[in-house]
Amino acid sequence: MNTSMNTVDEALASSSPSTVLAGAWEALDLGARVADAVTWDGTGDELLALTAAQSCSAARSLLPLPEHGRPLPLEASEIQYGPSGLTPYADLLDRAHRALADLAGQDAQLSEAAEHAATAARALAAVREP
């Protein structure tokens, strides 16, 4: 996991709801960009990659925009090939799912965002499975 992903991971573990929401937004943004990149690289199941990208976008649309920051950097060369190459990104989406679920309580919109994040994590994790 790179430094930027560590920062998002810390935000997801924060006790501040606004920090958790911003971290989840960033994790979902990164997940969507990774899924978009692998949709077209021919190294896995394109439909699962597309599902992951759409689920990330759906979840992110339910969250408030972060007040600060900029998108995490992502170079296509950073995405490792092979079955475990997407694991760090799928794991980050899973942590975003858990953080949103913990924050949701009675909030239906956050619960829905958490479910989309879970779908994205599962789909991205399965893109390159044999």
Side-chain angles (χ1 to χ4, degrees):
M1 191 174 348
N2 63 36
T3 305
S4 297
M5 287 175 68
N6 285 335
T7 302
V8 172
D9 209 31
E10 290 171 12
L12 292 172
S14 174
S15 61
S16 165
S18 62
T19 302
V20 171
L21 290 173
W25 200 97
E26 294 297 344
L28 292 161
D29 178 63
L30 181 63
R33 289 186 289 131
V34 167
D36 283 341
V38 299
T39 296
W40 308 110
D41 74 2
T43 63
D45 186 316
E46 296 89 0
L47 290 177
L48 283 173
L50 185 59
T51 297
Q54 290 176 334
S55 295
C56 285
S57 294
R60 198 178 63 216
S61 72
L62 295 168
L63 303 178
L65 288 172
E67 293 180 22
H68 302 46
R70 58 179 40 148
L72 297 176
L74 176 67
E75 297 294 327
S77 62
E78 292 177 17
I79 303 170
Q80 302 295 314
Y81 288 96
S84 64
L86 299 176
T87 300
Y89 304 102
D91 289 349
L92 184 65
L93 290 172
D94 186 55
R95 288 189 295 280
H97 157 251
R98 288 191 313 257
L100 288 170
D102 288 347
L103 196 59
Q106 299 295 322
D107 189 313
Q109 191 166 326
L110 286 182
S111 293
E112 184 179 349
E115 288 307 311
H116 284 302
T119 299
R122 286 189 304 269
L124 192 61
V127 165
R128 292 184 178 156
E129 285 185 348

